Amino acid sequence: MLNISDLEFIIPCGGKSSRNYPHSKGIAHKSLLPFGDGRLIDFILQEIIAIGGRHITIVCSSDDVIDIFKEALKTDTQTEEKLRLKGLSAIADAIRRTFLPEQIDLKFTIQEKPLGTAHVLALAHRLSPNRHGVMIFPDDIIVSKDKNNTYLKRMVDVFFADPCQILLYGVPKENVSNNAILENKRLIEKPKNPSNFIALYSPVVLPKEALDFIEKQFCEIEKTGQMPAHLSGGEWVYVDGINAFLDAEPADTPFHIAVVPKATDDLLLDTGTLPLYQQAQLYALLKLSKFSTENKKYALKLLLEDITIS
């Protein structure tokens, strides 16, 4: 029977984050942007830790970026204690949430060239070849009101019930032109004429067999130095990798794609662009922060001033 230790949680942190400029200009990666009392990466890591996840791989663009992440995530109990002695317990609590428990197996690997998210999966799988994978993009923030049954727990539970599934998180949208959708048992990236309006987001849960296939394909790419001719832009994204895996399987394969629908009380905060990130940060400051009461009072003061002026 599978358990949480059979999963490797994979967080891609190798992009330039240019869509979040100027906020992300000069920082190692957008996942280090502020989010409420912490950062985007802290929110994702705490979601993983909350369901018992232990094995985590962060994929970065260089050794320098890895060093920055290690510094950002290190335990600093000395500063925490100083804050508590000063009576600043709320800030000390916020800092503590950036510390990782000792039992967390945190690994880093480097994606030197932007070869796509399938390459991210291959690199992470080389470090943990015996585990299934859960890839979470750090700009897909999902807030579950039910902390005992979060979006991530639901997806993991569905996978454990049938480990031949490839799972994605599905959100109804009026416009899915910038998302992937599931159509005829395959993934369609940025559909021009969509057959449905269920946009797919991470987490993406993949069985070990799919990761084995993707990693093997990249071994061949590395030998030849050439990406497959049908791929545009020189990248092999996870959508292509999943479809290629299913296409290579026998007709009666038990492996298949399934969508875990967004729960009614889940809130998706897409932080992938500057205005969307700003809206997400406002939500976090007003709803998730330990200082939300003070933040709301200040926000209300500003809004009333605007009404008075107008």
Side-chain angles (χ1 to χ4, degrees):
M1 180 178 292
L2 293 176
N3 61 56
I4 199 71
S5 293
D6 294 311
L7 300 178
E8 187 74 29
F9 293 87
I10 303 163
I11 309 175
C13 294
K16 293 183 179 180
S17 309
S18 58
R19 291 198 304 158
N20 291 96
Y21 274 18
H23 286 311
S24 58
K25 185 179 181 181
I27 68 171
H29 189 264
K30 62 186 171 186
S31 61
L32 294 172
L33 286 171
F35 183 69
D37 298 336
R39 299 153 301 186
L40 294 171
I41 190 68
D42 299 316
F43 183 88
I44 296 297
L45 291 172
Q46 289 304 318
E47 292 289 284
I48 294 169
I49 292 167
I51 65 167
R54 180 174 178 268
H55 303 287
I56 303 170
T57 297
I58 298 178
V59 182
C60 299
S61 58
S62 69
D63 283 319
D64 289 340
V65 174
I66 288 176
D67 289 341
I68 291 170
F69 270 96
K70 288 180 177 179
E71 180 69 19
L73 297 173
K74 77 175 184 180
T75 299
D76 184 3
T77 53
Q78 186 175 7
T79 299
E80 178 196 0
E81 185 60 28
K82 286 181 180 179
L83 289 166
R84 295 196 189 281
L85 290 173
K86 292 180 180 180
L88 301 174
S89 59
I91 299 177
D93 290 343
I95 289 178
R96 172 159 283 277
R97 285 197 296 275
T98 70
F99 303 164
L100 298 180
E102 290 184 1
Q103 68 269 26
I104 295 299
D105 168 34
L106 180 63
K107 299 178 286 297
F108 294 90
T109 189
I110 298 174
Q111 185 185 40
E112 295 179 350
K113 297 180 181 180
L115 298 180
T117 47
H119 187 222
V120 167
L121 293 170
L123 292 170
H125 191 54
R126 288 174 181 173
L127 298 182
S128 302
N130 296 317
R131 294 194 186 94
H132 308 287
V134 182
M135 181 168 65
I136 306 177
F137 295 121
D139 53 4
D140 289 346
I141 298 294
I142 303 169
V143 181
S144 295
K145 291 185 180 179
D146 186 352
K147 297 306 178 184
N148 294 318
N149 191 31
T150 65
Y151 73 98
L152 192 54
K153 183 180 185 301
R154 293 197 306 273
M155 294 194 72
V156 167
D157 287 346
V158 170
F159 179 74
F160 285 166
D162 178 6
C164 289
Q165 297 179 99
I166 297 167
L167 299 177
L168 294 99
Y169 183 81
V171 181
K173 284 181 66 176
E174 292 183 2
N175 183 355
V176 295
S177 61
N178 289 320
N179 295 91
I181 65 170
L182 179 60
E183 185 176 281
N184 297 324
K185 301 182 180 181
R186 295 294 184 271
L187 298 174
I188 307 297
E189 180 78 7
K190 298 181 179 179
K192 294 181 179 179
N193 298 297
S195 60
N196 66 79
F197 291 88
I198 303 298
L200 302 180
Y201 289 85
S202 72
V204 184
V205 187
L206 299 105
K208 174 186 176 299
E209 292 82 355
L211 295 172
D212 288 341
F213 174 86
I214 292 171
E215 195 278 329
K216 184 178 179 181
Q217 297 303 303
F218 264 100
C219 285
E220 293 300 316
I221 291 170
E222 289 164 349
K223 287 179 184 178
T224 63
Q226 295 182 338
M227 296 288 283
H230 68 281
L231 299 180
S232 60
E235 293 189 11
W236 202 34
V237 298
Y238 76 92
V239 167
D240 296 319
I242 291 171
N243 286 338
F245 166 69
L246 293 174
D247 290 341
E249 288 290 297
D252 60 348
T253 179
F255 294 101
H256 61 283
I257 304 172
V259 176
V260 177
K262 171 186 173 295
T264 303
D265 60 356
D266 281 354
L267 176 65
L268 172 66
L269 299 174
D270 184 345
T271 65
T273 65
L274 179 62
L276 288 175
Y277 164 70
Q278 290 180 334
Q279 291 175 23
Q281 172 65 325
L282 278 173
Y283 179 90
L285 291 171
L286 297 176
K287 295 289 189 178
L288 305 179
S289 170
K290 278 184 168 290
F291 309 100
S292 60
T293 300
E294 293 83 356
N295 293 340
K296 288 176 182 176
K297 289 179 180 178
Y298 182 64
L300 182 59
K301 177 178 179 291
L302 294 177
L303 291 172
L304 289 175
E305 285 178 357
D306 287 343
I307 293 172
T308 302
I309 292 171
S310 62

